[in-house]
């Protein structure tokens, strides 16, 4: 049934495990131990958690200890008095060059800059794998209805999910990436209705449709919406198609399977352009045919977690009581409709139970495709599976990236898991909700939409055929990026200019999708996203390209970078990291060293924007430092200065490679 046709060419780098240096957190762990020892020796008591803050300026210190305020209550002494006692003991702690009491009891610690900088560079250059974390984590993202082309909102979903996966992997988590394929839902049924009743096409005729099949179905889906609107009786065809698809083994089901399979291929190709890929395609049809829902229904009924409504608007429906009186969301609590069909929420409960290893049955699996680097994409199947398939599911935590409009149904899913007695597992169920994407009027016009002068933003609707297809947006971004690249360097080879344009377009789109909190509505603007200045992907890419060019010029001028790094580490760093320039370089290094901490915060907050903002802050700090001519690497007054500045540049390149890798932003050789 699967079409051999490829809808678009895949571009972009695949997800890889990013290696982050454990620098600032290791320093904090070591210092926390020193603080506990000092408290024990000085006051004869034990202290629990030791936390650190960051002073606003490096001249005030590198880490601020707030423990004196907590200890003062226990010891009945002033915080400043406690801080004075601890300062004397911590001044000689490993890695500390000075301890200073500030204000009413803050204890500010100044780190040994040369030792810390050398350790940071070692960690960045070392490339050690992150320590593995226990348990398996599942991230489900993208999950586009396979009835039409991916649109701009789907790109936000995929970018958020893929980046969250990269963050988790960088911290040593074992992550499985899943893409849920709703191949038996109403959207696929609507396209089938369109082929069968509007176009009178057989399966064989649909198989012969060439070109952009997902674009073809985009237009057909909108026409079906008009078909239903003209005569409400036409909607009965949707229910008929749904029943035939769920039953299987008939012409309608075969047509639906063909439509879904071809469009899934198109979606995969679109996402591959952004370096996004998956481990498993989980099909809704397999959930039904392998009776996942039937088993989940039995378990829920045995536990008394669901009830069949005898009267009222939900008469004949099986519902999950939520203890809420909001009738406006009753539909989301219905698991089985009165006509016997299972709702999305019902199937999602069964699927979530499987993800958490709480359903006493499994999918069968087969290989779907293999990438050039050997990465395998698997798919579920209700047919014969492959014996050597890996183990899927059985996760300790599940992150579902679904739009904010599905917040209540996701709560129902979590409640269903809890109702079966799995409260702890339910706590491992996370909904990464995100808001929609709208277009700026300028971008909408550039993409061919008619926009009135008074519109501040242009909303999209797949049902009405109004929206920006993901590939169209990417193509437009590539064209605009290429025109900029052509203007900057027209003599460059055409293939290289095309590759650079694709990388810039990818960086522009991904960073724009990531820089805002996921619960904020985005107004996407191409000009803003592609700007080489400001908080954009191209700005980050350009910072790395610029830094690499500095190292390249050093090599070309007879200053091997490896020798410069060795010279800096041989003793020049201590003198370099003092004074005005030393403070600026140190601020940059200290900011880079916080990357691991920021990533941990982003994972806990389930907000990848924290990592994106940090990458911009690091690039901005680098730009602020190196735009000063007196800090030139190439024209340094002494060999020691050249070596130390080269070490800072090299550390920046390595750190940004890791950061941009986590954000999925490729870096071209030249901009």
């Amino acid at each position: 049934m699967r079409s051999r046709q490829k809808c678009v060419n895949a571009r972009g780098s695949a997800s890889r495990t990013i290696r982050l240096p454990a620098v600032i957190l290791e320093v904090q762990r070591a210092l926390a131990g020193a603080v506990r020892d000092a408290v024990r020796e000085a006051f004869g008591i034990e202290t629990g958690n030791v936390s650190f803050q960051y002073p606003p300026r490096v001249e005030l210190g590198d880490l601020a200890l707030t423990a004196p305020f907590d200890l003062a209550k226990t010891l009945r002494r002033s915080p400043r008095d406690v801080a004075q006692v601890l300062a004397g003991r911590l001044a000689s702690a490993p890695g500390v060059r000075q301890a200073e009491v500030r204000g009413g009891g803050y204890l500010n610690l100044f780190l040994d800059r040369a030792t810390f900088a050398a350790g940071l560079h070692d960690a960045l250059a070392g490339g050690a794998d992150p320590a593995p974390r226990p348990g398996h984590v599942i991230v489900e993202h993208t999950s586009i209805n396979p009835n039409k082309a991916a649109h701009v909102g789907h790109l936000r979903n995929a970018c958020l999910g893929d980046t969250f996966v990269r963050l988790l992997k960088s911290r040593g988590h074992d992550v499985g990436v899943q893409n849920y394929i709703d191949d038996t839902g109403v959207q696929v049924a609507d396209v089938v209705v369109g082929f069968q009743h509007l176009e009178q096409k057989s399966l064989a005729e649909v198989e012969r449709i060439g070109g952009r099949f997902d674009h073809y179905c985009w237009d057909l889906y909108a026409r079906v919406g008009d078909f239903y609107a003209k005569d409400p009786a036409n909607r009965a065809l949707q229910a008929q198609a749904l029943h035939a698809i769920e039953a299987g083994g008939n012409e309608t089901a075969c047509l639906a399977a063909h439509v879904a399979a071809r469009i899934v291929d198109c979606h995969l190709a679109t996402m591959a352009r952004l370096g996004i890929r998956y481990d498993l395609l989980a099909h809704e049809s397999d959930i039904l045919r392998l009776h996942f829902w039937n088993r989940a229904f039995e378990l829920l009924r045995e536990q008394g977690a669901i009830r069949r409504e005898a009267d009222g608007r939900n008469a004949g429906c099986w519902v999950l009581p939520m203890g809420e009186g909001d009738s406006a969301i009753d539909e989301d609590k219905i698991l089985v409709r009165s006509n016997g069909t299972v709702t999305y929420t019902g199937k999602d409960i069964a699927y979530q139970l499987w993800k958490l290893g709480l359903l006493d049955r499994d999918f069968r699996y087969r290989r779907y495709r293999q990438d050039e680097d050997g990465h395998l994409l698997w798919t579920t199947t209700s047919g014969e599976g492959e014996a050597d398939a890996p183990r899927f599911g059985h996760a300790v935590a599940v992150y579902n990236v679904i739009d904010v409009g599905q917040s209540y149904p996701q709560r129902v899913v979590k409640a269903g898991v809890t109702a079966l007695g799995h409260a702890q597992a339910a706590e491992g169920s996370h909904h990464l909700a995100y808001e929609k994407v709208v277009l700026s009027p300028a971008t909408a016009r550039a993409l061919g939409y008619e926009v009135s002068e008074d519109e501040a933003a242009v909303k999209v609707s797949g049902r009405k055929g109004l929206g920006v297809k993901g590939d169209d947006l990417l193509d437009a971004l590539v064209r605009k990026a290429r025109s900029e690249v052509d203007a900057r360097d027209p003599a460059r080879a055409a293939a290289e200019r095309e590759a650079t344009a694709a990388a810039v377009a990818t960086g522009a789109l991904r960073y724009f999708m990531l820089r805002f909190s996921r619960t904020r509505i985005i107004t996407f603007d191409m000009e803003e996203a592609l700007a080489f200045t400001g908080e954009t992907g191209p700005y980050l890419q350009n910072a790395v390209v610029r830094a690499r060019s500095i190292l390249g010029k050093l090599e070309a001028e007879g200053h091997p970078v490896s020798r410069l790094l060795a010279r800096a580490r041989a003793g020049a760093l201590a003198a370099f990291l003092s004074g005005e320039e030393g403070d600026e370089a140190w601020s940059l290094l200290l900011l880079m060293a916080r990357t691991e901490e920021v990533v941990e915060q982003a994972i806990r907050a389930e907000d990848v924007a924290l990592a994106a903002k940090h990458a911009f802050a690091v690039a901005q700090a680098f730009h602020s430092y190196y735009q000063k001519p007196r800090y030139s690497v190439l024209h340094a007054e002494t060999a020691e200065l050249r070596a130390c500045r080269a070490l800072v540049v090299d550390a920046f390149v390595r750190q940004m490679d890791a950061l941009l890798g986590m954000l999925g932003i490729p870096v071209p050789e030249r901009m």
Side-chain angles (χ1 to χ4, degrees):
M1 299 287 291
R2 188 170 311 288
S3 168
R4 294 186 178 89
Q5 177 190 3
K6 299 295 182 185
C7 298
V8 291
N9 293 323
R11 295 192 188 115
S13 59
S15 174
R16 59 186 175 89
T17 299
I18 307 300
R19 297 175 173 88
L20 285 179
V23 179
I24 197 66
L25 291 184
E26 282 188 357
V27 168
Q28 289 185 16
R29 281 190 284 268
L31 288 176
V35 170
R36 293 189 189 96
D37 291 342
V39 170
R40 188 182 306 112
E41 294 166 4
F43 306 115
I45 63 173
E46 299 293 332
T47 186
N49 183 51
V50 178
S51 60
F52 296 91
Q53 297 179 356
Y54 293 95
R57 301 186 306 278
V58 293
E59 57 265 29
L60 298 177
D62 303 317
L63 293 170
L65 182 66
T66 59
F69 292 96
D70 299 322
L71 291 168
K73 298 174 185 177
T74 302
L75 298 170
R76 296 184 179 181
R77 298 170 66 170
S78 73
R80 187 173 181 85
D81 183 28
V82 174
Q84 292 283 10
V85 173
L86 294 179
R89 294 176 179 270
L90 294 175
S92 58
V96 175
R97 64 180 174 88
Q98 182 182 344
E100 185 178 280
V101 179
R102 291 269 182 168
Y106 287 99
L107 179 52
N108 291 359
L109 303 177
F110 295 79
L111 301 178
D112 182 329
R113 292 183 175 185
T115 301
F116 186 92
L120 172 63
H121 191 269
D122 280 345
L124 287 168
D129 287 329
R133 303 286 183 96
H136 180 60
V137 178
I138 289 174
V139 178
E140 179 203 314
H141 67 79
T142 307
S143 304
I144 310 169
N145 290 318
N147 68 317
K148 65 183 188 307
H151 61 59
V152 63
H154 298 137
L155 298 185
R156 184 179 195 187
N157 180 311
C159 288
L160 288 171
D162 179 66
T163 303
F164 196 71
V165 168
R166 292 167 186 254
L167 296 182
L168 287 169
K169 287 184 175 180
S170 77
R171 303 304 305 131
H173 291 278
D174 172 39
V175 187
V177 188
Q178 296 183 185
N179 186 351
Y180 185 74
I181 310 300
D182 181 9
D183 55 342
T184 64
V186 294
Q187 288 80 7
V188 173
D190 287 343
V191 174
V192 169
V193 168
F195 279 127
Q196 290 181 330
H197 298 280
L198 291 182
E199 300 196 339
Q200 307 291 316
K201 281 185 169 62
S202 67
L203 172 59
E205 290 172 316
V206 174
E207 288 177 333
R208 290 195 293 270
I209 294 174
R212 306 286 288 264
F213 186 71
D214 55 339
H215 289 202
Y216 185 102
C217 291
W218 175 290
D219 296 331
L220 179 59
Y221 181 64
R223 287 167 54 205
V224 172
D226 294 336
F227 176 62
Y228 292 157
K230 286 178 182 177
D231 185 354
N234 291 335
R235 191 171 288 276
L237 297 171
Q238 181 191 74
Q240 294 172 17
L242 270 174
H243 280 293
I245 292 168
E246 289 188 4
N250 54 69
E251 176 81 5
T252 298
C254 289
L255 177 56
H258 173 78
V259 168
R262 283 185 68 177
I263 290 182
V264 165
D265 278 345
C266 293
H267 291 168
L268 293 175
T270 300
M271 298 308 161
R273 298 179 69 180
L274 293 168
I276 297 170
R277 63 186 185 185
Y278 316 86
D279 300 315
L280 178 68
L281 304 179
H283 288 76
E284 183 174 284
S285 58
D286 296 321
I287 290 177
L288 294 173
R289 289 164 192 163
L290 294 172
H291 308 297
F292 278 29
W293 164 246
N294 299 50
R295 181 56 180 150
F297 180 77
E298 288 174 8
L299 295 171
L300 288 164
R301 191 167 60 175
E302 288 170 6
Q303 290 288 330
I306 58 176
R307 67 169 182 254
R308 191 173 187 272
E309 298 285 18
D311 49 35
R313 60 183 294 183
N314 295 334
C317 299
W318 285 92
V319 301
L320 178 71
M322 295 287 289
E324 300 176 18
D326 188 355
S327 60
I329 52 180
D330 278 352
E331 179 66 24
D332 295 322
K333 295 181 290 189
I334 296 173
L335 305 187
V336 182
R337 302 182 186 93
S338 58
N339 63 4
T341 58
V342 187
T343 63
Y344 289 125
T345 309
K347 286 176 280 193
D348 282 347
I349 290 175
Y351 184 36
Q352 191 77 356
L353 289 170
W354 169 82
K355 289 179 187 175
L356 294 165
L358 302 175
L359 201 65
D360 54 357
R361 57 197 58 201
D362 199 357
F363 291 108
R364 299 167 199 147
Y365 308 95
R366 61 178 176 80
R367 288 172 174 81
Y368 191 87
R369 67 172 55 160
Q370 185 170 6
D371 294 336
E372 291 181 0
D373 65 355
H375 175 267
L376 275 172
L377 172 61
W378 291 80
T379 181
T380 62
T381 178
S382 46
E384 186 176 350
E386 298 184 35
D388 61 343
R391 184 173 185 255
F392 293 101
H394 302 277
V396 297
V398 175
Y399 295 88
N400 295 321
V401 185
I402 309 175
D403 71 87
V404 72
Q406 296 299 309
S407 294
Y408 187 77
Q410 283 292 297
R411 284 173 54 200
V412 176
V413 169
K414 193 169 184 175
V417 176
T418 303
L420 289 173
H422 304 297
Q424 185 175 354
E427 288 304 309
S429 301
H430 305 266
H431 176 205
L432 270 64
Y434 66 94
E435 267 289 3
K436 61 180 175 289
V437 181
V438 298
L439 303 176
S440 70
T443 295
R445 292 189 190 97
L447 291 167
Y449 289 88
E450 293 185 7
V451 181
S452 63
E453 292 297 325
D454 59 343
E455 286 190 80
V458 180
K459 297 179 181 179
V460 299
S461 168
R463 169 65 72 181
K464 297 178 181 178
L466 300 174
V468 177
K469 303 177 186 72
D471 284 314
D472 286 351
L473 179 59
L474 280 166
D475 291 343
L477 286 167
V478 170
R479 285 194 298 271
K480 288 185 71 65
R482 189 169 55 235
S483 66
E484 176 69 22
V485 172
D486 290 346
R488 285 170 172 247
D489 191 1
R492 201 187 314 182
E496 186 183 347
R497 278 183 280 139
E498 181 67 25
T500 298
V504 171
T506 297
L509 179 67
R510 287 194 66 127
Y511 189 79
F512 203 98
M513 294 297 182
L514 300 174
R515 60 179 277 214
F516 302 101
S517 171
R518 56 184 169 80
T519 55
R520 175 178 167 183
I521 296 174
I522 291 179
T523 302
F524 187 83
D525 184 86
M526 285 200 297
E527 293 289 346
E528 181 182 351
L530 282 168
F532 278 56
T533 58
E535 191 180 352
T536 69
Y539 176 86
L540 301 183
Q541 292 168 314
N542 194 46
V544 181
V545 170
R546 220 174 125 217
R548 284 179 180 169
S549 72
I550 293 172
L551 299 177
K553 288 176 181 176
L554 285 172
E555 293 279 357
E557 293 182 5
H559 303 292
V561 173
S562 59
R563 292 184 187 174
L564 291 173
L565 299 179
R567 183 163 193 163
R569 297 168 58 86
L573 276 175
F576 171 69
L577 291 172
S578 61
E580 183 180 349
E581 179 180 0
D583 283 348
E584 288 199 48
W586 173 245
S587 295
L588 173 59
L589 291 168
L590 195 59
L591 182 62
M592 288 192 289
R594 293 185 60 188
T595 296
E596 178 199 35
E597 183 180 30
V598 171
V599 171
E600 289 282 5
Q601 291 170 351
I603 292 171
R604 286 196 301 271
E606 299 172 6
D607 190 358
V608 300
L610 296 176
K613 294 283 187 183
H614 177 69
F616 174 66
V618 172
Q620 201 173 33
F622 173 79
H623 179 78
S624 174
Y625 176 34
Y626 278 103
Q627 72 177 351
K628 299 178 175 65
R630 64 182 183 277
Y631 298 156
S632 170
V633 182
L634 301 173
H635 303 101
E637 295 87 345
T638 67
E640 285 73 18
L641 269 179
R642 180 183 299 111
C644 291
R645 290 171 182 171
L647 182 139
V648 177
V649 175
D650 188 70
F652 171 77
V653 169
R654 293 176 186 276
Q655 182 66 89
M656 286 300 290
D657 277 344
L659 270 167
L660 296 188
M662 284 186 291
L663 300 178
I665 295 177
V667 181
E669 291 298 318
R670 290 187 288 171
M671 292 292 281

